[in-house]
Amino acid sequence: MPLVTTKKMFEDAYKGKYAVGAFNVNNMEIIQGIVQAGQKLNAPLILQVSKGARAYANHTYLVKLVEAAVIETGLPIALHLDHGPDFETCKSCIDGGFTSVMIDGSHLPYEENVALTKKVVEYAHDKGVVVEGELGQLAGIEDDVNVSAEDASYTKPEQVYDFATRTGVDSLAIAIGTSHGAYKFKPGQKPQLRFDILEEVEKKLPDFPIVLHGASSVIPECVKQINQYGGKLDDAIGIPEDMLRKAATMAVCKINIDSDLRLAMTAAIRKYLAENPSHFDPRQYLKPARDAIQAMVEHKIVDVLGCDGKA
Ligand code: G3H
Ligand code: 13P
Ligand code: ZN
């Protein structure tokens, strides 16, 4: 099976009340860890590449690694541009083998977001590629943009029908209280998501796939292990997994996870090097790092997304 779009994945996820995991990839070990988990659990996968990932690893290397994952596993895998910053980046990914792109106009005035998203949709659909748009702004850091909690804004449900119909987007990312990175809530703040907004969005846009960004849970064991072996991550806190599980049974069909993979990988490498100070072959510490990614993704597939057996 070649790379697929997210169209059927989302139709099945919506009906089946589960979500598909969209995992950020930057190198071979991350890709292998994710797809080994998907293969073991027969789960569909979205592998997503940010502008930063393309700058780090190179577009062609990432496309070829993901194509290798498809050949090796036979799983339905979509290759997605995460947070496409402009039309040119989206075009480059559409022309260069991606099956899905996000155009992130969430920081723009509404009409400019509509115009830019529509332009990307027209180009993408012509080539059989699907598009994710975004309304509302998450807090946190993505690429070189840092949105403070004060500047973040929830999605306005009254805008979603107009945005989806005028742009023609295939899925919509919304802001209901998730945020990027490992510091999602202030110390002492009670984590919460605005399920009332999600319900309103669902009413205004029935049967339409919704996306949650910033959905890492910042697993305490990973943070503890990083701190135990010389790291310093104070007050790191994420979205409780039971809230994400609930969102996955609603209109949310795609859940984005990056930070939890970074934390799992870093925790494994720190532990390995602390326990084996004389080792210097990268394969020795990248193997447990890859295993840690696999274990994290297996956990997400079964306990958060509910997409095991759905490939
Ligand atoms: O939402 C952003 C993702 O976590 C990607 O992060 O831009 O550092 O690759 P990055
Ligand atoms: P996290 O930082 O919560 O993993 O979010 C990742 C994300 O939204 C990628 O687009
Ligand atoms: Zn994101």
Side-chain angles (χ1 to χ4, degrees):
M1 185 191 287
L3 281 168
V4 297
T5 74
T6 53
K7 194 170 174 359
K8 181 161 187 311
M9 277 184 196
F10 289 167
E11 282 167 8
D12 292 347
Y14 204 106
K15 280 193 224 115
K17 295 188 177 300
Y18 61 88
V20 180
F23 301 101
N24 286 76
V25 299
N26 294 277
N27 66 22
M28 183 185 76
E29 284 76 12
I30 296 174
I31 292 171
Q32 289 178 331
I34 297 166
V35 301
Q36 280 163 13
Q39 191 168 29
K40 184 165 159 192
L41 296 167
N42 196 31
L45 291 169
I46 300 167
L47 300 182
Q48 57 185 13
V49 169
S50 68
K51 174 182 154 196
R54 286 176 96 224
Y56 170 77
N58 172 290
H59 175 98
T60 311
Y61 278 88
L62 289 172
V63 171
K64 294 298 167 194
L65 284 167
V66 171
E67 285 174 358
V70 172
I71 292 168
E72 285 298 314
T73 64
L75 284 175
I77 296 177
L79 174 56
H80 174 76
L81 169 65
D82 189 28
H83 293 284
D86 47 41
F87 176 79
E88 286 67 35
T89 308
C90 292
K91 180 178 182 303
S92 164
C93 289
I94 293 162
D95 295 344
F98 284 44
T99 54
S100 173
V101 295
M102 174 190 191
I103 175 67
D104 185 355
S106 58
H107 55 287
L108 297 171
Y110 181 73
E111 286 300 327
E112 287 177 42
N113 188 3
V114 169
L116 176 61
T117 305
K118 187 170 188 292
K119 185 176 171 189
V120 172
V121 167
E122 280 167 4
Y123 190 82
H125 282 184
D126 218 35
K127 314 247 173 192
V129 170
V130 292
V131 180
E132 173 186 325
E134 180 163 358
L135 270 180
Q137 259 196 299
L138 273 66
I141 303 168
E142 72 206 37
D143 275 329
D144 38 11
V145 182
N146 186 352
V147 181
S148 71
E150 292 71 39
D151 288 338
S153 56
Y154 294 117
T155 302
K156 296 185 179 75
E158 60 273 20
Q159 289 183 332
V160 297
Y161 180 80
D162 183 73
F163 186 82
T165 49
R166 282 172 66 201
T167 59
V169 278
D170 303 278
S171 61
L172 182 67
I174 62 168
I176 58 167
T178 59
S179 77
H180 291 107
Y183 301 90
K184 299 189 192 293
F185 299 96
K186 297 206 179 88
Q189 193 186 0
K190 192 167 172 277
Q192 59 184 33
L193 293 186
R194 291 287 305 271
F195 285 103
D196 57 320
I197 296 180
L198 178 56
E199 274 167 16
E200 275 306 298
V201 167
E202 205 170 333
K203 275 189 204 143
K204 308 264 184 205
L205 270 184
D207 295 329
F208 196 86
I210 298 301
V211 178
L212 278 192
H213 282 248
S216 280
S217 295
V218 188
I219 311 290
E221 291 76 45
C222 288
V223 175
K224 198 172 151 211
Q225 188 169 315
I226 288 172
N227 289 339
Q228 182 185 348
Y229 292 104
K232 192 164 163 36
L233 290 178
D234 298 329
D235 302 323
I237 180 161
I239 313 292
E241 290 191 326
D242 57 336
M243 292 187 189
L244 297 166
R245 183 76 205 98
K246 179 174 167 186
T249 65
M250 299 169 70
V252 171
C253 294
K254 171 174 180 270
I255 291 188
N256 284 13
I257 296 166
D258 186 1
S259 297
D260 277 338
L261 304 189
R262 295 177 178 191
L263 291 164
M265 190 168 199
T266 300
I269 292 173
R270 278 196 176 276
K271 180 172 192 285
Y272 185 89
L273 291 176
E275 288 174 352
N276 301 279
S278 62
H279 289 190
F280 58 90
D281 180 342
R283 292 172 298 188
Q284 290 173 317
Y285 55 83
L286 287 175
K287 187 177 181 311
R290 185 172 59 192
D291 292 345
I293 297 252
Q294 180 178 343
M296 180 62 73
V297 174
E298 282 181 25
H299 162 64
K300 296 289 177 183
I301 287 172
V302 173
D303 300 320
V304 178
L305 303 157
C307 63
D308 44 316
K310 310 292 187 186

